[in-house]
Amino acid sequence: MSWDAWGIPENRRALSVEVESLLRTALGISPHPRADSSQNSVRLTRSRLSVERRHALEAILGAAHVSTEDAVRVHFLGGKSTLDLLARRSGTLQFAPDAVVFPANEEEVHALLRYCSDESIAVVPFGGGTSVVGGVDPVREWFDTVITISTRRMKAMTALDEVSRTATLQAGVTGPEAEQMLASHGLSLGHYPQSFAFASIGGFAATRSSGQASAGYGRFDDMVESMTVVTPIGITVCGRASASAAGPDLRQVFLGSEGTLGIITSVTVRVHPMPECTEYRSWWFPDFVSGSAAFRDLAAMTGRPTVMRLSDEAETAVNGSKDGGCIAVATFEGTRAQVEARAHMADGVVTARGGDVRSPESARRWEHERFDAPYLRDALLDAGALAETLETATSWAALASVRATISSALVGVLTEAGTPPIVMSHISHVYPTGASLYFTVVCATAEDPSTQWRTAKDAATRAMMDLGATLTHHHAVGRDHLPYMKSEVGTVGATLLRAMKVALDPASVLNPGKLIP
């Protein structure tokens, strides 16, 4: 990806006339083009890797797979949040890892971790670099040297069990690569987060990723049968059978551990046959309350949709609807008979809750554009608009209160700062007992946009915690959410996390400054 933007340059989007008009009329922003920054002009912290340590790393991997070049290090500065991009564009000195190393297998990863543990060298695992919470920042803390371990050379499907429908994929395999490998066997993983084009299998597991088809296929952690994880004290394989009563499920120790307890090198995942067909649905509801009630009913259905997304009134209006109310989109995958029956049942639930079945064009358009939003965020930032997201999950009973309180907190803080925002939200992941809430915030940038957003997000996050909602549904913890982590897991939970850290990573070299309160 670009060092200072999301994705690849040729896919960047210009703002439409409609969006530019919205910025002017609703937010008082006059869009102005931003001059392209040059990778050659960026200033990085100099590498502190000593000659002796470089030789030691080269002895493990080979000289070709150890780099201290600025042209390489600039692509490993961290993730792709708005705060990250603001830092890249600031012209200030960028904090880069002292070296980037590229192991090819778990044995090389283990050798690296043993050496780094002995030498007290901080290690940051790096998959696709799509974190939006500071999860892959090269945090130095008290270490004099920090290196980034890229998984990009670990790109193979090493096993496929077509009878049991499982596949073993190395950690560096990206979402599109996984689908391509499986498609040649008539299979699919069906995990499509917004970061799909660039994020990796290892990253999906390390952050408990949730894809847009979670209603049909589950979260990524639901798909994991087993994992190979490398720690400084050894290599472990977690998970043996489809289910086990052999004590606590050790997969759960490393799922969501964000590289702080070990580096995931391969994952065995559940896969399914490619669907025979896809049926699309667009539904209209008079308000978010009736739409949420319908989604609650749908979540309890055995044959619920594969994809479910309900936009609130603000998001529906910004997306171009002239009818008011809320638009929901859904897809159904399977055989023709299955999808027709499931779609028919879902339509009945929708109409019973006061909704209407509309042309499926909205659902088709959403699917076509679903990976484009980060490019639009960059274009908005170029134009002088701060655009960022945050997410949570809560029970169905608390959903309306959580949504209203978080929205109010965001509006209040940003309005007080002189930059009244547009706040939009949607449901995109549902469960029998609750759902996620995903917020998008757009406002004019203040003189110090980083402080502007940190202050707003702090208010929203404190509102989540006060109402018992979760700190994060799928973005993970990283650096950004770390100050709130003890409130999330409690004193005993924090003690347990720290104890596991000490046991698995005695020198505390793994991804410092993330997750562990």
Side-chain angles (χ1 to χ4, degrees):
M1 289 195 285
S2 301
W3 74 278
D4 65 342
W6 176 264
I8 54 179
E10 50 265 39
N11 285 352
R12 289 183 183 174
R13 296 179 59 183
L15 296 181
S16 66
V17 173
E18 292 79 10
V19 171
E20 288 191 350
S21 175
L22 179 66
L23 293 179
R24 288 191 184 94
T25 58
L27 300 176
I29 298 171
S30 296
H32 52 277
R34 165 182 171 263
D36 287 338
S37 53
S38 169
Q39 182 175 317
N40 297 325
S41 65
V42 65
R43 296 183 301 125
L44 305 183
T45 52
R46 66 176 181 82
S47 173
R48 297 185 185 179
L49 185 70
S50 68
V51 173
E52 294 77 14
R53 286 177 166 179
R54 177 171 188 138
H55 288 164
L57 295 174
E58 290 176 346
I60 296 170
L61 301 178
H65 305 304
V66 178
S67 179
T68 56
E69 298 297 320
D70 285 359
V72 174
R73 295 194 300 140
V74 74
H75 290 284
F76 294 87
L77 300 175
K80 297 295 184 182
S81 71
T82 294
L83 292 176
D84 293 324
L85 301 187
L86 288 169
R88 308 285 183 273
R89 297 159 182 237
S90 67
T92 59
L93 189 67
Q94 304 292 311
F95 294 95
D98 297 308
V100 183
V101 299
F102 302 88
N105 52 54
E106 64 196 45
E107 290 78 15
E108 290 185 351
V109 174
H110 187 215
L112 284 169
L113 293 191
R114 284 188 302 173
Y115 175 74
C116 290
S117 184
D118 290 342
E119 289 289 307
S120 195
I121 298 172
V123 174
V124 179
F126 198 101
T130 61
S131 173
V132 292
V133 292
V136 291
D137 289 2
V139 175
R140 189 174 298 277
E141 287 196 338
W142 60 84
F143 298 96
D144 61 4
T145 304
V146 56
I147 68 169
T148 291
I149 294 183
S150 169
T151 60
R152 68 169 56 170
R153 291 180 66 210
M154 294 185 278
K155 304 277 274 187
M157 180 167 70
T158 58
L160 178 65
D161 183 341
E162 296 189 66
V163 175
S164 306
R165 291 181 180 166
T166 62
T168 302
L169 301 162
Q170 288 185 311
V173 174
T174 65
E177 289 167 344
E179 290 300 332
Q180 185 177 17
M181 292 173 185
L182 292 167
S184 63
H185 300 276
L187 298 168
S188 172
L189 178 59
H191 186 68
Y192 301 108
Q194 200 164 66
S195 59
F196 169 76
F198 303 100
S200 67
I201 292 294
F204 292 155
T207 60
R208 300 179 77 97
S209 173
S210 192
Q212 293 160 349
S214 64
Y217 301 120
R219 298 165 56 94
F220 191 78
D221 43 314
D222 297 326
M223 302 175 182
V224 174
E225 293 287 305
S226 66
M227 296 185 297
T228 299
V229 185
V230 180
T231 77
I233 66 169
I235 301 173
T236 183
V237 178
C238 304
R240 283 179 173 267
S242 300
S244 171
D249 186 348
L250 296 182
R251 291 174 301 177
Q252 302 303 324
V253 171
F254 297 103
L255 286 166
S257 64
E258 302 182 34
T260 62
L261 303 178
I263 296 180
I264 297 165
T265 55
S266 70
V267 185
T268 299
V269 290
R270 183 180 69 239
V271 296
H272 60 268
M274 294 182 70
E276 177 185 308
C277 67
T278 300
E279 184 83 7
Y280 296 87
R281 279 294 189 274
S282 298
W283 298 312
W284 177 89
F285 295 95
D287 49 47
F288 194 74
V289 172
S290 57
S292 300
F295 266 44
R296 185 184 70 234
D297 295 342
L298 290 168
M301 287 174 47
T302 301
R304 66 189 184 189
T306 306
V307 170
M308 296 172 60
R309 181 186 177 104
L310 170 67
S311 295
D312 71 359
E313 291 87 346
E315 188 172 275
T316 298
V318 168
N319 286 336
S321 174
K322 302 296 191 291
D323 297 334
C326 299
I327 287 289
V329 298
T331 68
F332 300 82
E333 293 182 355
T335 66
R336 171 59 61 186
Q338 287 171 339
V339 299
E340 287 181 352
R342 289 163 56 204
H344 178 72
M345 284 193 298
D347 287 344
V349 170
V350 167
T351 55
R353 287 292 184 177
D356 289 336
V357 180
R358 298 288 176 93
S359 164
E361 189 54 37
S362 293
R364 295 180 187 276
R365 184 171 64 252
W366 169 82
E367 184 179 71
H368 178 70
E369 299 175 350
R370 61 182 167 169
F371 302 127
D372 292 344
Y375 288 103
L376 178 59
R377 179 198 58 173
D378 289 359
L380 288 167
L381 197 58
D382 291 345
L386 180 73
E388 188 54 299
T389 62
L390 54 86
E391 38 76 61
T392 185
T394 188
S395 66
W396 288 113
L399 190 79
S401 176
V402 169
R403 174 175 167 266
T405 305
I406 292 174
S407 296
S408 178
L410 290 165
V411 170
V413 168
L414 290 168
T415 300
E416 185 177 349
T419 54
I422 297 172
V423 178
M424 301 166 277
S425 61
H426 65 253
I427 294 172
S428 52
H429 307 280
V430 300
Y431 308 92
T433 59
S436 67
L437 281 168
Y438 192 96
F439 295 84
T440 301
V441 185
V442 183
C443 64
T445 53
E447 184 176 347
D448 181 358
S450 294
T451 298
Q452 175 192 21
W453 176 246
R454 290 185 193 279
T455 303
K457 185 170 181 179
D458 177 68
T461 305
R462 291 184 185 281
M464 292 176 197
M465 306 309 291
D466 289 345
L467 292 169
T470 185
L471 180 60
T472 174
H473 173 263
H474 58 269
H475 281 174
V477 177
R479 295 178 75 186
D480 294 359
H481 292 147
L482 181 59
Y484 314 94
M485 189 59 176
K486 191 170 181 180
S487 295
E488 172 86 10
V489 301
T491 301
V492 173
T495 300
L496 180 58
L497 286 173
R498 289 194 293 266
M500 290 191 294
K501 176 76 169 175
V502 170
L504 295 167
D505 179 21
S508 201
V509 298
L510 285 170
N511 214 8
K514 327 289 169 46
L515 180 68
I516 310 295

